[in-house]
């Protein structure tokens, strides 16, 4: 609303989902395209309304955007059965029954109604397969089920090799329901969506979703509650009911940079000699040989970026010419990709996922660049805003880097906000503005 549509973005992990949704919104023909208004303030209001509307969409059973929220009901079932504790029982019969309960729960959650969209499960088939064929089912069952109750911190080398129950292909498919709807792809009712935008977008300018939700919708179409949120959910649920993954186009299949927005998605990338270290650790874990072999060399860890090739080339050249901080020196172009390619990798952080194969190495989540000012400036942005949390800095990236072999000097250069020559301080200094949200104050169940 203040500055207009966003031209470029960068970020990783959950910010990958944010960029996916924003790119989808700014691809909607009612925002940019044949059905769009020529009024700039109205166009801004429409894009802003669709961004805010994601909070309303989350009330639908078909709109799940957070991997942790997807796995939480599974974890509740596992713990309500006392599975982790029973797997530590001295009695074999108790352990055997606990293991059977764990496999049954994961199998049911993988295939049951509401857990599968587009024939892709939300529970990782590799997890179910490992538990069914494990040489030491008590170890694997206890380790995986206890990880489900963790606070998703990097808990040692197992965070990179454990096949966690979240299946990121399924997460990507579920996210696509929301993104494709926001993009106005078929079978979205563009007439009904236009009516919604005409009634609610300008009226919602300057307001939060809580203030917008109960505003009235004018027009003739429809059923359902004649409020902005009621009509939104009617349109979305109708879209999901009619959608056929094998017939209708998916936002997941779009390449980064095809639309109005130029997104850059971040991920750590392990290559070189450390690939063999990871693969030996995978083998050790599958064989229940712990502690696993470990010893990743941080020189083999690069900070990778996906986007349009020309954009990546410009970023790489400008970073080399203008920035020498520790983060910029680790830049690696990962090339062009579709949204599906990046959504199954960048949000797949250690603990939530084992490292994911990519080309001649493995990605290990997008924790590497939470304040991407250097990349945004290098891609040509004239005004850069960082969006972050109003809270203490998370130690997650620092902890993961340490497990991947970073020295104390590396950690200071990359993550210490008090180091005046470090990457963190330079990122803040380069930004034209910083927007601090209260995201950390939202209870996990919400």
């Amino acid at each position: 609303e203040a500055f207009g549509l966003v031209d470029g973005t960068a970020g990783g992990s959950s910010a990958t989902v944010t960029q996916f949704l924003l790119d989808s919104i700014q691809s909607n023909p009612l925002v940019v395209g044949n059905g769009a208004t020529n009024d700039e303030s109205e166009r801004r209001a429409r894009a802003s309304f669709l961004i805010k509307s994601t909070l309303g969409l989350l009330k639908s059973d078909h709109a799940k955007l957070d991997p942790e929220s997807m796995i939480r009901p599974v974890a509740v079932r596992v713990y309500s059965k006392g599975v982790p504790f029973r797997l530590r029982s001295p009695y074999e019969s108790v352990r055997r029954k606990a293991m059977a309960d764990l496999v049954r729960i994961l199998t049911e959650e993988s295939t049951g109604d509401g857990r599968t969209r587009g024939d892709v499960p939300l529970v990782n088939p590799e997890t179910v397969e490992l538990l069914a064929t494990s040489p030491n089912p008590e170890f694997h069952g206890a380790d995986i089920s206890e990880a489900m109750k963790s606070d998703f911190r990097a808990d040692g080398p197992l965070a990179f090799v454990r096949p966690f129950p979240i299946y990121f292909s399924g997460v990507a498919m579920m996210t696509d329901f929301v993104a494709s709807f926001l993009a106005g792809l078929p079978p979205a009712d563009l007439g009904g969506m236009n009516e919604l935008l005409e009634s609610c977008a300008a009226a919602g300018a300057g307001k939060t979703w809580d203030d917008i939700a109960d505003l009235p919708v004018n027009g003739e179409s429809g059923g359902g509650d004649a409020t902005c949120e009621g009509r939104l959910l009617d349109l979305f649920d109708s879209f999901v009911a009619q959608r056929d993954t094998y017939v209708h186009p998916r936002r997941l299949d779009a390449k980064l940079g095809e639309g109005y927005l130029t997104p850059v998605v971040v991920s750590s990338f392990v290559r070189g000699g450390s690939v063999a270290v990871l693969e030996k650790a995978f083998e050790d874990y599958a064989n229940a040989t712990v502690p696993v072999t470990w010893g990743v060399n941080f020189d083999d860890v690069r900070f990778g970026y996906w986007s349009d090739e020309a954009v990546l080339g410009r970023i790489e050249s400008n970073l080399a010419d203008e920035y020498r901080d520790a983060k910029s020196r680790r830049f690696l172009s990962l090339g062009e990709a579709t949204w599906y390619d990046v959504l199954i990798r960048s949000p797949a952080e250690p603990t939530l996922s084992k490292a994911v194969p990519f080309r001649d190495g493995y990605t290990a989540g997008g924790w590497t660049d939470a304040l991407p000012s250097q990349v945004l400036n290098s891609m040509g942005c004239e005004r850069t805003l960082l969006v972050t949390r109003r809270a203490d800095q998370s130690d997650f990236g620092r902890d993961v880097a340490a497990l991947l072999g970073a020295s104390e000097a590396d950690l200071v250069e990359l993550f210490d906000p008090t180091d005046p020559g470090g990457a963190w301080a330079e990122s803040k200094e380069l930004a034209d503005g910083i927007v601090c949200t209260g995201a950390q104050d939202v209870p996990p169940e919400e």
Side-chain angles (χ1 to χ4, degrees):
E1 291 174 16
F3 302 117
L5 300 192
V6 179
D7 295 309
T9 51
S13 192
S14 60
T16 308
V17 178
T18 306
Q19 293 184 85
F20 182 41
L21 298 178
L22 181 60
D23 185 42
S24 300
I25 288 167
Q26 294 192 171
S27 299
N28 189 308
L30 300 176
V31 176
V32 291
N34 294 334
T37 173
N38 292 322
D39 186 307
E40 176 62 17
S41 63
E42 174 67 17
R43 186 169 72 151
R44 294 182 182 193
R46 287 185 169 208
S48 179
F49 172 83
L50 290 174
I51 291 170
K52 298 170 188 177
S53 77
T54 57
L55 293 177
L57 292 175
L58 288 174
K59 296 182 180 179
S60 169
D61 289 338
H62 304 301
K64 304 297 182 189
L65 302 175
D66 172 22
E68 293 178 29
S69 70
M70 294 179 188
I71 204 64
R72 192 168 291 114
V74 186
V76 168
R77 288 191 65 190
V78 168
Y79 271 78
S80 68
K81 289 287 188 181
V83 168
F85 313 106
R86 291 159 55 209
L87 284 169
R88 302 294 190 190
S89 169
Y91 302 106
E92 183 180 355
S93 60
V94 175
R95 296 196 303 272
R96 190 182 304 116
K97 180 63 167 64
M99 192 66 188
D101 284 343
L102 177 60
V103 172
R104 176 180 54 78
I105 290 169
L106 292 180
T107 302
E108 289 174 355
E109 292 287 344
S110 176
T111 60
D113 290 341
R115 295 281 172 222
T116 302
R117 290 291 179 267
D119 295 332
V120 178
L122 295 180
V123 172
N124 190 350
E126 185 182 358
T127 309
V128 178
E129 175 69 15
L130 174 65
L131 294 175
T133 62
S134 169
N136 187 339
E138 288 82 4
F139 161 72
H140 283 126
D143 179 65
I144 290 170
S145 57
E146 287 170 5
M148 293 170 66
K149 188 68 179 293
S150 78
D151 57 359
F152 302 109
R153 286 186 164 273
D155 58 348
L158 296 191
F160 298 88
V161 301
R162 177 194 299 117
F164 195 73
I166 294 176
Y167 190 41
F168 277 88
S169 288
V171 173
M173 289 289 295
M174 182 70 89
T175 307
D176 183 68
F177 275 83
V178 177
S180 291
F181 170 76
L182 291 172
L185 291 183
D189 176 2
L190 288 179
M193 186 177 288
N194 188 57
E195 188 177 275
L196 175 70
L197 292 171
E198 287 183 344
S199 295
C200 303
K207 297 181 173 66
T208 67
W209 184 253
D210 284 345
D211 298 323
I212 297 170
D214 291 331
L215 292 177
V217 174
N218 302 315
E220 302 298 328
S221 67
D225 298 327
T227 65
C228 293
E229 183 171 271
R231 184 60 52 79
L232 173 76
L233 290 172
D234 286 344
L235 289 167
F236 179 64
D237 289 340
S238 174
F239 169 84
V240 172
Q242 298 176 65
R243 187 163 177 74
D244 184 335
T245 301
Y246 301 103
V247 173
H248 294 115
R250 306 185 307 173
R251 282 291 300 154
L252 280 178
D253 298 322
K255 290 177 68 174
L256 276 64
E258 279 187 349
Y260 184 98
L261 180 71
T262 300
V264 179
V265 175
V266 183
S267 179
S268 53
F269 184 67
V270 181
R271 64 182 186 178
S274 293
V275 169
V277 175
L278 274 175
E279 291 176 346
K280 181 60 168 67
F282 293 149
E283 180 183 335
D284 287 347
Y285 185 83
N287 293 328
T289 303
V290 289
V292 298
T293 304
W294 199 246
V296 172
N297 184 339
F298 199 55
D299 289 341
D300 292 332
V301 179
R302 314 310 293 176
F303 292 4
Y305 299 81
W306 287 284
S307 190
D308 175 79
E309 286 281 11
V311 172
L312 291 170
R314 184 163 64 248
I315 292 172
E316 184 171 22
S317 176
N318 289 335
L319 284 177
D321 289 343
E322 300 181 30
Y323 303 107
R324 297 306 302 159
D325 62 277
K327 180 175 64 176
S328 298
R329 294 197 304 270
R330 288 184 181 272
F331 174 90
L332 177 68
S333 170
L334 297 178
E336 297 186 346
T338 66
W339 280 111
Y340 177 80
D341 295 330
V342 300
L343 283 165
I344 65 170
R345 291 183 171 89
S346 185
E349 300 274 25
T351 301
L352 292 177
S353 170
K354 64 189 289 188
V356 183
F358 182 72
R359 294 183 180 171
D360 59 348
Y362 289 86
T363 59
W367 50 270
T368 47
D369 195 357
L371 299 177
S373 302
Q374 293 92 329
V375 164
L376 289 167
N377 284 4
S378 294
M379 68 190 286
C381 294
E382 297 179 354
R383 178 166 46 191
T384 299
L385 297 176
L386 299 178
V387 181
T388 186
R389 296 179 302 177
R390 187 179 61 250
D392 290 340
Q393 176 191 346
S394 169
D395 289 329
F396 183 80
R398 181 187 179 94
D399 293 344
V400 172
L403 288 169
L404 291 174
S407 67
E408 186 59 34
D410 292 325
L411 298 175
V412 169
E413 278 193 287
L414 288 167
F415 300 108
D416 188 346
T418 66
D419 177 16
W424 197 270
E426 182 166 11
S427 295
K428 291 193 292 183
E429 182 66 26
L430 290 169
D432 295 296
I434 301 177
V435 180
C436 299
T437 77
Q440 76 286 343
D441 298 326
V442 180
E445 62 272 15
E446 296 181 13

